[in-house]
């Protein structure tokens, strides 16, 4: 039996000298989650397999240096706008905005220096067997070209139901698009093998097809009869090499699914089950519920063995996958998508729950 708790330690310094802190959350079953103040990044998640053997099921680096040297958003909170904005351009209340284009012709995950590359402030908390850390960041007006000063808070909570709860809150001084997500790369084997044998279920009857630069066409397309139908548990590798234009554009899966809800077309709301990921080898299972309307499933297609991560492990092709709960990509340019505009006086609130079983 373990004792639930949260501890705080130093995790190096940024090039400008500011110290980075690491918070270690542990529950009574020995599940351990570590998160740091740089990028609000989850650096590791340790869970038991069916035999009780612990392993780290999240990709990342051993030290801060790895993250600073260049990370494909391992474990980070992505924002101010998670995912892509076409041409880095949008118009809001009649005013045009131009963002940095950091992904071909488009803006990805907030721009050149998104929320994954800034220093947050962290405060741990403990309430009985529930432990966590509250991370805050004040994004100045005009940061990365976005209007309004935005105060953001992300809370990671670990409880004895073996759930990691991620709560997002934000407010703004001017109308702005906002879309926050968590970019953990999962590998339920807890080792260097690829994730093609992981079995995925998505509670989604539709997805948003994209163009060759991964910007949604605006269409909400049914998944029925396509390799995008994960309504029944299916190994990720089963159809990933099918001849399908969308798989070619994504180089695999890199798309937004429209989560099924009682009230379709809504901008999210109640917590619903969105995804289940199972590893038949280790017996680990991850269930994801969210208040968000969409989920980007990215099958780690850009991992190519050029990154050396924790313990010197080389992250080869598709050795991690992301399940990013979010609003749809490029929503500021699609009137038919649920709105991502936050206005002064409103409160942005979003929750995603990661439940670990075996
Ligand atoms: C997101 C995108 C992917 C890729 C990764 C980071 O998930 O959708 O295309 O850019 O981030 O490598």
């Amino acid at each position: 039996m373990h004792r639930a708790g949260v501890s705080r330690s130093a995790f190096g310094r940024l090039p400008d000298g500011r110290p980075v802190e690491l918070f270690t959350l542990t529950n009574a079953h020995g599940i351990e989650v570590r998160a740091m103040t740089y990028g609000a990044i989850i650096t590791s998640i340790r869970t038991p397999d069916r035999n009780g053997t612990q392993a780290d099921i999240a990709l990342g680096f051993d030290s801060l240096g790895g993250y600073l040297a260049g990370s494909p958003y391992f474990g980070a909170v992505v924002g101010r706008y998670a995912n892509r904005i076409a041409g880095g351009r949008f118009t809001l209340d009649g005013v045009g905005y131009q963002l940095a284009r950091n992904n071909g012709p488009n803006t990805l995950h907030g721009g050149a220096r998104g929320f994954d590359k800034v220093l947050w402030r962290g405060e741990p908390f403990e309430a009985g067997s529930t432990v966590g850390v509250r991370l805050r960041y004040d994004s100045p007006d005009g940061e990365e070209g976005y209007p309004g000063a935005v105060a953001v808070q992300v809370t990671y909570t670990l409880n004895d139901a073996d759930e990691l709860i991620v709560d997002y809150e934000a407010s703004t001084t001017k109308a702005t698009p906002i879309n926050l997500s968590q970019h953990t790369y999962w590998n339920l084997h807890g080792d260097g093998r690829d994730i093609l044998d992981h079995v995925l279920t998505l509670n989604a009857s539709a997805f948003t097809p994209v163009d060759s630069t991964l910007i949604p066409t605006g269409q909400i397309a049914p998944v029925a009869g396509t390799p995008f139908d994960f309504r029944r548990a299916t190994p990720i590798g089963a159809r990933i090499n099918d001849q399908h234009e969308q798989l070619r554009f994504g180089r695999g899966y890199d798309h937004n699914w429209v989560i099924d809800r009682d009230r379709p077309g809504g901008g999210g709301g109640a917590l619903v089950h969105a995804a289940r990921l199972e590893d038949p080898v280790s017996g680990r299972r991850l269930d994801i519920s969210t208040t968000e309307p969409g989920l980007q499933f990215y099958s780690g297609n850009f991992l190519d063995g050029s990154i050396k991560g924790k313990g010197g492990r080389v992250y080869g092709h598709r050795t991690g996958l992301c399940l990013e709960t979010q609003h749809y990509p490029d929503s500021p340019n699609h009137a038919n998508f649920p709105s991502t505009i936050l206005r002064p006086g409103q409160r942005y609130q979003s929750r995603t729950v990661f439940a670990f079983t075996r």
Side-chain angles (χ1 to χ4, degrees):
M1 203 61 179
H2 302 255
R3 206 186 71 80
V6 50
S7 70
R8 181 176 200 162
S9 58
F11 199 61
R13 285 178 187 274
L14 297 180
D16 64 12
R18 284 178 298 164
V20 174
E21 288 188 297
L22 182 73
F23 296 87
T24 302
L25 285 43
T26 313
N27 80 357
H29 306 132
I31 291 184
E32 184 205 82
V33 176
R34 294 182 176 209
M36 66 161 154
T37 50
Y38 179 71
I41 290 170
I42 293 178
T43 60
S44 78
I45 301 178
R46 297 181 63 84
T47 69
D49 68 6
R50 65 161 65 85
N51 303 317
T53 308
Q54 299 272 350
D56 187 349
I57 57 169
L59 273 52
F61 300 100
D62 289 320
S63 64
L64 181 61
Y67 292 94
L68 296 175
S71 162
Y73 306 94
F74 285 154
V77 165
V78 284
R80 184 178 300 195
Y81 196 93
N83 216 312
R84 294 176 176 78
I85 294 183
R89 269 193 307 272
F90 64 93
T91 301
L92 177 54
D93 297 336
V95 181
Y97 295 89
Q98 178 68 58
L99 313 167
R101 296 173 174 165
N102 61 329
N103 187 245
N106 306 317
T107 300
L108 176 67
H109 297 329
R113 191 165 157 273
F115 289 179
D116 61 297
K117 296 182 188 67
V118 299
L119 189 62
W120 298 57
R121 302 181 304 279
E123 266 319 311
F125 62 88
E126 280 193 56
S129 56
T130 294
V131 298
V133 58
R134 207 164 277 126
L135 295 151
R136 290 198 177 88
Y137 176 64
D138 293 312
S139 172
D141 189 359
E143 187 178 39
E144 285 296 324
Y146 291 96
V150 170
V152 202
Q153 179 176 296
V154 172
T155 309
Y156 294 130
T157 304
L158 180 64
N159 64 24
D160 276 353
D162 297 343
E163 293 170 333
L164 170 64
I165 303 170
V166 186
D167 282 303
Y168 305 85
E169 284 184 54
S171 58
T172 185
T173 59
K174 292 177 187 162
T176 182
I178 182 159
N179 188 26
L180 302 176
S181 190
Q182 225 297 328
H183 210 291
T184 288
Y185 285 67
W186 305 98
N187 181 320
L188 300 186
H189 295 315
D191 63 24
R193 281 173 292 169
D194 71 45
I195 49 74
L196 294 174
D197 63 347
H198 284 30
V199 177
L200 181 65
T201 313
L202 295 175
N203 175 29
S205 321
F207 76 117
T208 52
V210 291
D211 68 15
S212 63
T213 73
L214 299 182
I215 293 294
T217 59
Q219 211 194 337
I220 309 271
V223 295
T226 77
F228 293 83
D229 191 347
F230 281 92
R231 289 174 297 178
R232 273 196 282 174
T234 309
I236 289 172
R239 300 162 300 182
I240 201 167
N241 294 319
D242 282 11
Q243 291 304 312
H244 192 288
E245 185 182 57
Q246 286 297 313
L247 287 173
R248 187 155 49 80
F249 286 166
R251 304 176 187 214
Y253 296 106
D254 196 352
H255 298 77
N256 168 67
W257 272 255
V258 174
I259 297 166
D260 285 345
R261 290 181 174 277
D262 295 342
R263 196 172 51 85
L271 199 64
V272 294
H273 188 254
R276 168 172 283 187
L277 185 67
E278 294 164 287
D279 169 19
V281 181
S282 69
R284 290 191 182 88
R285 188 198 293 157
L286 166 68
D287 279 287
I288 303 180
S289 305
T290 188
T291 59
E292 287 296 306
L295 179 144
Q296 181 90 4
F297 162 38
Y298 165 58
S299 51
N301 313 310
F302 294 114
L303 295 175
D304 60 3
S306 61
I307 296 176
K308 207 182 260 181
K310 286 182 258 191
R313 182 166 287 150
V314 171
Y315 292 138
H317 196 219
R318 296 175 178 156
T319 52
L321 73 119
C322 302
L323 296 165
E324 307 157 54
T325 54
Q326 53 164 15
H327 272 56
Y328 312 165
D330 198 31
S331 295
N333 294 308
H334 294 279
N336 62 322
F337 289 177
S339 172
T340 51
I341 305 303
L342 181 70
R343 295 184 180 275
Q346 295 178 335
R347 191 142 196 86
Y348 174 97
Q349 276 183 311
S350 169
R351 170 175 279 198
T352 293
V353 179
F354 300 97
F356 306 103
T357 50
R358 58 191 168 109

